[in-house]
Amino acid sequence: MRSLRKTLLLATVASVVLVVALLHSWPTRAYTTVDVRQRPVPAVERHLEERLPEPDHRSASIPYRLKESVAGLLARNGCVCEGESGGVNFPFAQLLFPRVSAHSLHTAFEASELEEMKKRRAKEYQGFQLRSQTPVDMLMVAEANNPLQYPTQGVEVRPLKTILIPGLALQELPRELYTVNLTSTLGTLNVAAEVEGVKVKGDGEMHMTLSSNKLLHLNRQLQFVTYTNTLFHPSTADTVQFETEGHQAMFTIKIRHGVTPKLYNTGPRGEYNISALVTIATKTFLRYDKLQDLINSVRRFYPTVTIVIADDSENPQTVSGPYIEHYIMPFGKGWFAGRNLAISQVTTKYVLWVDDDFIFTANTKLEKLVDILERTTLDLVGGAVREATGYTATYRQTISIEPGEEEGDCLHMRRGFHHIIQGFPNCVVTDGVINFFLARTDKVQQVGFDPRLARVAHLEFFIDGLGSLHVGSCNDVIVNHATKIKLPWVSESESDKTYAKFRYPPASSDATHTKNGLLYFKNHFQCLTHN
Ligand SMILES: *[C@@H]1O[C@H](CO)[C@@H](O)[C@H](O)[C@H]1NC(C)=O
Ligand SMILES: *[C@@H]1O[C@H](CO)[C@@H](O)[C@H](O)[C@H]1NC(C)=O
């Protein structure tokens, strides 16, 4: 009997503890659910498309003459890559009269796997489009003679916060009763103040009606309309419908967090302190003699600048010294993997990319490159590389992408640039530059170097960065290139021979296939032209 009582008591105590524990861990706030799945065009957008005004059918019969010179500039349905044919064929012809050549990229895959690859790419591409488009990308047309006044752009709210919607009003129309409706989809509408003589219905909901027989009062009330985001789904937008009898308008409210800045402490003001502002990053493979020449040349001009070295040699040697960070990677990890590792370790505002066989000279004035990045909106600026022959290259490239259909887009690369930069007569705006550039560290880290590109790669970084990197190039900051041309009286060292085997594989090799495969699948290109 006693043991039964004891058991009962224990059981009671245990269940009380359990209930308390449960209550304690029970959520005290009611959570609503949000659907963040990728989905096709939401209903409101479809609704909007249907609302696009029908073109006046009477205009169809008005004659017109096509202006080929202008109409030809409009994007066609689909794109093609065309090379230039003909021309003279003699040694160095391509150097003197560069011709445009075109390449199909699907050849990176076997014919048997191509169909499957196409389907997979199409699926990934569709997902990308759904993720990257928001209602602010939609076309909206403001109808003529609409008495509704509303903001067309620039309204923004932080997730789950409230704002006053600016600019709402209704224009004079002789009416007995003035009524407007506001409808939102990702948040609620309300009024921050109640105006005399105005009836408010549905405040705090997604559909609110305001009515009054005095227009002035209604307009006063419209100045107090608020929007509260209730569904947290950052970087999207709510499309708000605003309507009165016979008229309808739509506008978007962007919902997003502010961009969190990433600022670097650059030290006291005054002349640019290169050691505090810049880290030099390089990738080495086997060529320790060249690397040491680079380090020695840097130290002549910048004794305390940090040098980050990524090294994927098979038998790594020690590279040490003050302000040197040497990172050893698995053997043969590759060109872009090394670049990625090197830039990931940079903690200064700017990173200077150099190849391990460059030599600093008195013309390698990093201050000039820092100055242009400090004073402009550029993210990256390239310099010039002088070969042993005296030939100096900036390797400026423009990159453009023409949208295509299922086959993919067309990538066009041409030597050249877009504009000269005002105030910097030696500098231009372009899309891609040589392997010698200074860049904002956070921007290069964002774009990243695709580690799948192990050997042949350079412009791929600029292709990935197109649209987010603002690129410049200056020809008055020059670094020397340890000789690349094989002079007959200089015998090639063993390490140079092994290096060449890895670094310059033949065009038919796996490395070239990987590169074209990535352009095809990752970047959704069908073909490429360049000169
Ligand atoms: C406003 O919305 C109500 C329903 O909430 C509807 O009955 C009314 O017709 C709408 N008015 C206008 C002008 O669209
Ligand atoms: C430049 O920056 C380095 C590293 O932050 C610092 O050690 C050095 O004192 C600075 N030099 C001057 C002149 O401010």
Side-chain angles (χ1 to χ4, degrees), residues 9 24 27 38 42 52 71 102 130 201 253 259 418 440 445 500:
L9 191 73
H24 191 72
Q38 298 179 4
L52 284 183
L130 290 175
K201 228 182 92 196
I253 299 179
V259 177
H418 303 296
R440 294 183 199 282
Q445 286 172 346

Side-chain angles (χ1 to χ4, degrees), residues 179-181 201 207 209 243-246:
T179 304
V180 294
N181 280 348
K201 228 182 92 196
H207 180 77
T209 304
E243 56 191 350
T244 188
E245 209 180 302

Side-chain angles (χ1 to χ4, degrees), residues 332-407:
K333 269 306 262 187
W335 187 230
F336 265 30
R339 284 188 169 198
N340 241 357
L341 175 69
I343 59 158
S344 73
Q345 299 307 309
V346 173
T347 55
T348 49
K349 183 174 183 181
Y350 299 115
V351 56
L352 180 81
W353 182 265
V354 293
D355 280 357
D356 60 350
D357 57 349
F358 286 174
I359 308 280
F360 272 47
T361 70
N363 288 325
T364 319
K365 281 260 168 285
L366 300 186
E367 289 80 357
K368 280 193 195 170
L369 296 179
V370 168
D371 189 50
I372 187 165
L373 290 187
E374 285 284 311
R375 289 168 51 199
T376 63
T377 56
L378 294 180
D379 297 311
L380 184 153
V381 62
V385 177
R386 191 197 302 275
E387 300 294 340
T389 53
Y391 175 70
T392 303
T394 50
Y395 200 55
R396 294 162 176 169
Q397 299 276 333
T398 64
I399 305 173
S400 68
I401 295 169
E402 252 186 305
E405 299 194 320
E406 298 102 73
E407 287 304 311

Side-chain angles (χ1 to χ4, degrees), residues 33-44:
T33 56
V34 60
D35 183 359
V36 292
R37 275 175 305 183
Q38 298 179 4
R39 59 202 152 154
V41 193
V44 57

